[in-house]
Amino acid sequence: MSQISEKRHFSHRLRDTNSAFLPARPAGTAPIRVGFILQPHFSMMAFTAAVDAVVTANLVQATPLFTFTTFGLNATTVRSDLAIDISANATLDQLVLEGDNALDVLIVCGGFRCNLSEHGPLSQVLKAAAKRQKVLGGLWNGAVALAHAGVLDRLSCALHPDNHAFARERFPSVEVSTHTMMVEARILTSAGPNSALEMMLALIERLHGTDTVRAIREILSSDRVANDGENRLATAEDDPTMPDALRSLLRLMSSNIEEPLGIEELADYVGLSRRRIERLFQNHLETTPSRYYLELRITHARRLLLQSSDSISSIAVACGFVSSTHFSHCFKDFFGVSPSQARQKRG
């Protein structure tokens, strides 16, 4: 999967994420319900970056992980910062916080020209959501709305630099961070489009693990310019933040899908000990070499399964599995459904 780590590319801080977030959801359970509140002149780029993470998360798993709904403050037509009118699904007074259709996550979408004054009904909704222990978020300067509602008291938040002075003056009990993204308690905040994506990936990782996030990164970063500057598709081994030895290992793995190399063979090729290779993967990718290699092969198999008419047994062989039974077991363990079920659902 793509290895662009936010730890290296974004200034952000995460605190208390494990104890206070929604409990992790097992595969196959009901999707997490996310609500995006669109303020007038909200940042289209920040909003679409956040939604892209949610939509792509659904693509990398066989069953939907998320649903999302958009809300306007007073109307279902909301003008973005690009002067494009967006049709929201509902208005703020239709937002549900209890019952079978209750939202789990509520994110306020701000923008450069958003009004920073308090919107009474929005504050009431955010207070009610916090009382019910929902996860709350703010994009661009969406944290200002959270601060007006009092849910950021004694916490840190990220917001666009243009709003730092206002927030520090108006909300002395809130720590305005210089980080572009913050995750603290049940609250996530970000300062712009790039950090909006990272914010959502932090949420997804907490709920569904690093494997899902790696798969999302692979899809969303596939058109990065390669490290040598050529206008060609970039791959994991092009990531300049990775040590040369690790990039060589990733190249070897991606070039040997049908006949996977053993760890000792990989070690011989790059001239490193097995233990050194394991440390490289753990330190930079937070996984083991065997797990990464399996992810690479099983994700490649899923592409073939959904995009070709090849038999399951042929795909198993093409992706280096010793038998269809072993392939099916690994596939179901990773995606939650069997290869045949995944193929049936592709239509």
Side-chain angles (χ1 to χ4, degrees):
M1 317 309 112
S2 173
Q3 313 305 332
I4 306 174
S5 171
E6 66 272 18
K7 293 179 182 177
R8 285 177 282 274
H9 289 265
F10 293 88
S11 171
H12 75 277
R13 187 168 66 189
L14 292 85
R15 296 197 310 211
D16 303 326
T17 57
N18 289 331
S19 61
F21 260 67
L22 297 168
R25 298 285 181 95
T29 56
I32 299 290
R33 296 184 178 89
V34 183
F36 291 96
I37 298 175
L38 307 179
Q39 299 186 103
H41 309 297
F42 70 94
S43 167
M44 181 74 87
M45 284 187 67
F47 167 64
T48 54
V51 171
D52 211 359
V54 170
V55 172
T56 308
N58 289 341
L59 294 177
V60 302
Q61 295 291 345
T63 56
L65 302 181
F66 297 92
T67 62
F68 74 92
T69 307
T70 53
F71 298 89
L73 294 183
N74 304 303
T76 55
T77 299
V78 186
R79 177 148 293 194
S80 74
D81 62 340
L82 302 180
I84 297 173
D85 290 336
I86 300 298
S87 294
N89 301 115
T91 52
L92 193 62
D93 58 349
Q94 297 172 299
L95 191 149
V96 177
L97 294 174
E98 292 184 326
D100 293 339
N101 296 318
L103 295 171
D104 301 298
V105 180
L106 195 56
I107 296 172
V108 181
C109 303
F112 186 75
R113 293 191 294 121
C114 284
N115 191 333
L116 300 182
S117 301
E118 182 173 11
H119 185 277
L122 176 56
S123 289
Q124 292 303 313
V125 166
L126 294 174
K127 289 176 183 178
K131 184 177 180 180
R132 291 165 176 79
Q133 297 189 315
K134 307 296 183 179
V135 172
L136 300 176
L139 307 182
W140 196 288
N141 51 20
V144 170
L146 300 177
H148 277 304
V151 301
L152 282 179
D153 290 350
R154 296 179 297 281
L155 295 176
S156 297
C157 72
L159 75 163
H160 195 276
D162 285 346
N163 305 122
H164 282 196
F166 168 83
R168 289 186 174 118
E169 177 69 23
R170 178 66 178 78
F171 308 110
S173 62
V174 177
E175 179 188 341
V176 179
S177 175
T178 57
H179 294 273
T180 58
M181 189 266 283
M182 288 290 304
V183 179
E184 194 165 67
R186 291 179 179 270
I187 297 178
L188 310 93
T189 50
S190 62
N194 289 334
S195 51
L197 173 62
E198 294 302 316
M199 186 188 90
M200 295 306 295
L201 292 179
L203 172 65
I204 293 168
E205 182 171 0
R206 174 61 186 88
L207 296 172
H208 297 290
T210 56
D211 293 349
T212 299
V213 170
R214 266 201 297 271
I216 294 169
R217 288 188 185 281
E218 178 185 352
I219 293 173
L220 295 185
S221 65
S222 62
D223 67 344
R224 291 182 296 115
V225 175
N227 189 37
D228 57 12
E230 291 185 13
N231 187 21
R232 60 183 177 84
L233 292 178
T235 55
E237 56 265 24
D238 294 313
D239 188 345
T241 67
M242 298 293 170
D244 290 342
L246 180 55
R247 291 165 64 187
S248 295
L249 288 164
L250 299 182
R251 266 193 296 272
L252 284 167
M253 288 179 172
S254 62
S255 300
N256 292 273
I257 297 292
E258 186 170 350
E259 296 183 10
L261 300 172
I263 185 68
E264 299 300 340
E265 291 177 287
L266 291 168
D268 287 342
Y269 274 116
V270 296
L272 296 176
S273 68
R274 178 177 186 143
R275 181 60 186 146
R276 174 58 179 157
I277 289 175
E278 290 172 345
R279 282 200 298 267
L280 281 172
F281 274 83
Q282 191 59 51
N283 291 341
H284 295 275
L285 305 179
E286 298 180 357
T287 190
T288 64
S290 59
R291 180 63 181 177
Y292 178 88
Y293 213 165
L294 176 61
E295 283 182 39
L296 197 66
R297 292 160 51 217
I298 206 73
T299 304
H300 182 64
R302 184 173 182 268
R303 291 195 193 100
L304 294 177
L305 191 70
L306 301 182
Q307 299 173 16
S308 76
S309 58
D310 292 346
S311 67
I312 291 175
S313 58
S314 296
I315 291 173
V317 171
C319 296
F321 292 92
V322 296
S323 68
S324 297
T325 301
H326 182 227
F327 168 59
S328 296
H329 176 78
C330 293
F331 191 95
K332 187 169 185 178
D333 181 62
F334 195 81
F335 291 114
V337 295
S338 68
S340 58
Q341 289 172 326
R343 175 163 274 179
Q344 288 171 2
K345 292 182 178 182
R346 67 178 174 178

